Amino acid sequence: NELIKKCGETCRAVLKYTLNTNVRISDWRDYVSQCKELGYDLSEKSVLKPSHFHEAHERCTNLIKIKASKESDEKMKERAEFLKQFEFIDEELGLFIRIPQNTEEIVSEGKTLIHCVGGYAERHANGKTNILFVRKTDEPDTPYYTMEVSNDYKIVQCRGYRNDTRTPKSDIVKQFEQKYLNFLEELKKDEEQSKRKKSKKTA
């Protein structure tokens, strides 16, 4: 009844989704409550009925933990100096890389662009990966694309609204990715050179 009244689903639709995805109705109800707490738009079918329900449910659970945790934000502050090296701007293309300041910003990014980057907030805070915001220079506070960069300076993914399923990635964004990849390669060379110098001093 709660799913029918609050989400506008029919009894048939509820049963069909739970049977097809092997999901208990009580788990789905809990997931819907989590989405509301995180401010997700449940009118979006991809949010209300995720194709991989258990992963989405676990991701929401972790996000709520992160949202309530100051520890993750403290870890991000500790990483601030390291993350500065990823800052980059291309005036010609009108795009730049912005570093998230706290976990709430990463959660908000995923909510606005309707993709799963929020689930990476804890990994970013713990230094297991690096989440970066691609923004337009004339709209610096508006989410545009989200990029994940590995600790060995490789672009893992760069996703826009709904993972680019509705609007294909533009040539400008593709050019920016390539330029940023070249920038990352230089960062990697600098790091390797620094390691070699330290190794020689130790020897």
Side-chain angles (χ1 to χ4, degrees):
N1 285 336
E2 186 176 350
L3 287 165
I4 292 169
K5 291 177 182 178
K6 293 184 178 180
C7 301
E9 293 292 305
T10 64
C11 182
R12 182 185 295 273
V14 170
L15 291 173
K16 182 180 179 181
Y17 177 70
T18 54
L19 288 171
N20 287 343
T21 55
N22 193 29
V23 170
R24 290 183 299 183
I25 292 178
S26 59
D27 288 342
W28 191 15
R29 182 192 60 204
D30 291 342
Y31 166 76
V32 167
S33 297
Q34 289 178 325
C35 288
K36 288 180 179 179
E37 183 176 342
L38 292 167
Y40 288 172
D41 184 1
L42 287 168
S43 66
E44 294 284 347
K45 291 300 179 184
S46 60
V47 176
L48 179 61
K49 298 177 178 178
S51 54
H52 301 287
F53 175 84
H54 296 291
E55 289 87 340
H57 191 0
E58 184 178 359
R59 187 162 58 241
C60 283
T61 300
N62 290 334
L63 286 177
I64 288 172
K65 288 179 182 177
I66 289 170
K67 191 176 179 182
S69 173
K70 292 182 179 180
E71 184 179 343
S72 292
D73 286 342
E74 289 301 319
K75 288 180 180 178
M76 285 185 67
K77 286 180 182 178
E78 292 172 5
R79 298 194 68 219
E81 193 63 35
F82 171 79
L83 292 169
K84 278 184 181 180
Q85 68 176 324
F86 290 111
E87 292 178 344
F88 179 80
I89 185 168
D90 190 308
E91 296 286 0
E92 183 182 352
L93 296 176
L95 298 175
F96 73 102
I97 293 290
R98 179 172 172 267
I99 310 301
Q101 300 302 304
N102 50 56
T103 52
E104 181 61 32
E105 281 195 345
I106 298 178
V107 172
S108 179
E109 180 94 349
K111 184 172 67 175
T112 301
L113 295 178
I114 311 180
H115 58 40
C116 64
V117 72
Y120 291 76
E122 188 172 14
R123 294 183 68 233
H124 172 84
N126 289 325
K128 294 180 179 179
T129 194
N130 305 287
I131 301 302
L132 312 171
F133 299 155
V134 179
R135 299 284 169 88
K136 295 180 179 180
T137 53
D138 57 352
E139 296 179 9
D141 297 320
T142 302
Y144 184 47
Y145 270 78
T146 313
M147 184 181 288
E148 180 187 5
V149 172
S150 64
N151 285 326
D152 58 350
Y153 301 98
K154 293 179 181 178
I155 295 176
V156 179
Q157 55 185 331
C158 184
R159 304 293 179 89
Y161 182 69
R162 289 180 174 275
N163 289 317
D164 308 316
T165 54
R166 292 196 174 180
T167 305
K169 192 177 292 184
S170 70
D171 288 338
I172 289 177
V173 174
K174 290 178 182 177
Q175 289 176 43
F176 182 79
E177 278 187 85
Q178 186 56 55
K179 286 188 175 183
Y180 194 63
L181 183 59
N182 295 337
F183 172 75
L184 290 173
E185 287 175 354
E186 291 301 316
L187 286 182
K188 185 175 183 178
K189 287 179 183 176
D190 291 343
E191 183 184 79
E192 289 173 347
Q193 188 175 17
S194 178
K195 284 180 179 178
R196 284 196 294 270
K197 286 181 180 179
K198 288 181 180 178
S199 179
K200 286 181 180 178
K201 287 181 180 180
T202 304

